[in-house]
Amino acid sequence: MVKLNKIYTKTGDDGTTGLVDGSRLAKSDIRMAAIGDVDELNSALGVAICEVSDAALVQSLKLIQNDLFDLGADLATPAGEGDDFTPSDMVLRVTPSQVERLESEIDRVNDNLDPLTSFILPGGSKTAASIHLARAVARRAERTAVGAAQAMAINPQALAYINRLSDYLFVLGRMLNDGGKADILWVPGASR
């Protein structure tokens, strides 16, 4: 259990921050950028949740917010020896079951949507627009995490989770636009 008695420690005043294993790195490091983007995604999702009226969907999105803290902890934990990403009581890792849960949700939601006939613009209802904003932040978080994975070992399940989450938020935004009926379709060159 995490217990925070004091919010400021002054240890980061030199521009570094601590990882789970106690090592320190620059706050500008790509790993920290990925963690920050995941945190921003979690905040965007929190704003979107305020627009959602369906209690079951709110609970599902809150579970995803919790997963995003798991993801942040995973990114903040360097790989074990031999690039080991095995979770334990002391090491929090995103697991295949978390990715599979999102895949099931994507399939369930997508099965009830009108087929896409064009790319869609983020918008429609305020709730859908909020979800689409969170989706765009998820895509950025994924790009940053992939960049981190090019520089260091990152849990492949963490990368899969953030990829599936952006897909889930896409279909969820469509669902919240009356099953896709209220989607705003892109009209190429419409302003020419």
Side-chain angles (χ1 to χ4, degrees):
M1 178 58 75
V2 175
K3 183 177 180 183
L4 301 172
N5 290 327
K6 195 170 186 178
I7 299 302
Y8 63 91
T9 62
K10 300 182 183 180
T11 57
D13 291 352
D14 65 353
T16 66
T17 193
L19 296 178
V20 172
D21 68 354
S23 63
R24 298 194 68 77
L25 71 154
K27 291 183 180 186
S28 60
D29 187 271
I30 187 80
R31 180 188 295 266
M32 290 313 303
I35 294 166
D37 286 351
V38 168
D39 184 37
E40 184 180 346
L41 167 58
N42 208 336
S43 297
L45 201 51
V47 171
I49 288 169
C50 294
E51 297 294 330
V52 175
S53 59
D54 179 271
L57 181 54
V58 167
Q59 285 310 111
S60 177
L61 292 172
K62 286 182 177 180
L63 181 61
I64 289 169
Q65 281 192 298
N66 199 79
D67 284 350
L68 289 173
F69 257 80
D70 290 355
L71 176 60
D74 190 327
L75 293 171
T77 306
E81 199 168 310
D83 294 343
D84 182 21
F85 294 103
T86 305
S88 69
D89 289 341
M90 299 303 293
V91 178
L92 189 57
R93 296 291 185 195
V94 173
T95 63
S97 65
Q98 289 169 293
V99 175
E100 291 161 5
R101 189 184 78 246
L102 281 178
E103 290 171 349
S104 294
E105 283 299 302
I106 292 165
D107 292 342
R108 182 186 64 77
V109 172
N110 200 45
D111 283 347
N112 297 306
L113 296 177
D114 286 349
L116 278 173
T117 58
S118 174
F119 288 105
I120 62 169
L121 304 178
S125 70
K126 188 173 182 182
T127 308
S130 295
I131 291 293
H132 279 297
L133 179 60
R135 175 196 50 78
V137 176
R139 290 280 191 222
R140 177 165 30 89
E142 179 184 13
R143 289 189 304 271
T144 310
V146 166
Q150 291 171 345
M152 67 203 66
I154 298 290
N155 181 3
Q157 292 303 313
L159 297 175
Y161 185 89
I162 193 72
N163 181 268
R164 295 309 179 286
L165 180 56
S166 61
D167 293 338
Y168 173 64
L169 294 173
F170 177 76
V171 297
L172 185 59
R174 294 197 67 224
M175 181 195 85
L176 292 166
N177 272 338
D178 193 21
K181 292 175 185 66
D183 283 340
I184 303 168
L185 300 181
W186 173 48
V187 180
S191 64
R192 289 189 207 170

